[in-house]
């Protein structure tokens, strides 16, 4: 539990460092992958932690998969629009506050996991199985890492630089 809480804290600190590293102009760049702005990507990261990852933990407690409807074009479109709406008028401080609030919610849920629930299972809406432990140890930091790489590539390309590691793209499905 302590190790997983440390993973959440490292991811939270990395989110703060990422936001601090971006200029206002970079926040307004359109992503090379998702067609969100960088600010919208950051808002998406908080929303997914707040809503989807929370749902994963709750579903895993009951050994239930995620609803299949979440793997539809309609759900991806709602996710896309939700990030756009969340970013409207959002300041850096608001973005950081939202992420911190979502992270605190995940820390609280982690503290509520009973010792008998670590091997409980849920699944991504696509059907890929997840244990309770994987949600905290892989899914949350992995989601951050994929979108951080997306932002890094977006900024690099805007400055005329190449980006060497686009392997993250398979983890991010653009909505068009």
């Amino acid at each position: 539990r302590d190790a997983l809480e440390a993973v959440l804290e490292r991811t939270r600190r990395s989110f703060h460092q990422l936001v601090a590293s971006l200029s206002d102009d970079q926040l307004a760049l359109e992503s090379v992958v998702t067609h969100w702005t960088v600010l919208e990507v950051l808002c998406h990261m908080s929303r997914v932690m707040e809503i989807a990852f929370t749902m994963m933990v709750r579903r895993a407690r009951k050994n239930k998969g995620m609803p299949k409807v979440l793997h539809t074009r309609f759900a991806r479109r709602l996710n896309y629009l939700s990030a756009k709406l969340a970013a409207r008028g959002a300041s850096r401080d608001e973005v950081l506050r939202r992420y911190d609030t979502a992270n605190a919610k995940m820390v609280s849920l982690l503290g509520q996991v009973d010792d008998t629930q670590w091997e409980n299972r849920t699944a991504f809406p696509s059907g890929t199985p997840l244990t309770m432990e994987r949600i905290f140890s892989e899914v949350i930091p992995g989601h951050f890492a994929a979108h951080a790489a997306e932002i890094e590539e977006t900024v690099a390309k805007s400055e005329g630089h190449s980006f060497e590691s686009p392997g993250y793209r398979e983890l991010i499905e653009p909505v068009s």
Side-chain angles (χ1 to χ4, degrees), residues 21-103:
S21 74
L22 298 166
S23 70
D24 289 342
D25 287 342
Q26 290 169 331
L27 288 173
L29 292 171
E30 183 178 304
S31 164
V32 295
V33 179
T34 59
H35 307 296
W36 278 319
T37 65
V38 168
L39 179 63
E40 290 163 349
V41 172
L42 295 168
C43 288
H44 160 78
M45 293 163 77
S46 298
R47 302 270 305 148
V48 166
M49 186 179 301
E50 176 186 12
I51 298 167
F53 297 160
T54 297
M55 184 187 294
M56 282 180 183
V57 171
R58 290 185 175 142
R59 302 285 292 193
R61 276 199 181 125
K62 299 174 185 175
N63 279 312
K64 290 186 172 186
M66 294 291 280
K68 298 259 186 236
V69 70
L70 297 177
H71 194 60
T72 64
R73 185 170 170 79
F74 175 72
R76 287 190 298 274
R77 184 75 179 150
L78 284 178
N79 176 37
Y80 177 77
L81 293 173
S82 173
K84 288 192 141 322
L85 188 61
R88 281 194 188 157
S91 67
R92 283 174 193 273
D93 288 341
E94 178 69 13
V95 168
L96 294 171
R97 186 193 65 73
R98 287 178 188 167
Y99 194 89
D100 288 350
T101 298
N103 186 74

Side-chain angles (χ1 to χ4, degrees), residues 108-167:
S108 175
L109 286 171
L110 174 61
Q112 296 169 27
V113 175
D114 184 277
D115 286 343
T116 64
Q117 295 176 322
W118 291 111
E119 294 303 316
N120 282 16
R121 296 189 180 281
T122 188
F124 283 111
S126 64
T128 303
L130 295 170
T131 62
M132 182 74 76
E133 183 177 359
R134 279 191 66 204
I135 295 167
F136 291 102
S137 66
E138 296 175 28
V139 175
I140 294 170
H143 183 258
F144 168 80
H147 284 295
E150 171 190 8
I151 291 168
E152 183 181 348
E153 179 179 9
T154 298
V155 169
K157 287 191 173 181
S158 78
E159 296 172 348
H161 304 293
S162 62
F163 185 78
E164 298 299 320
S165 180

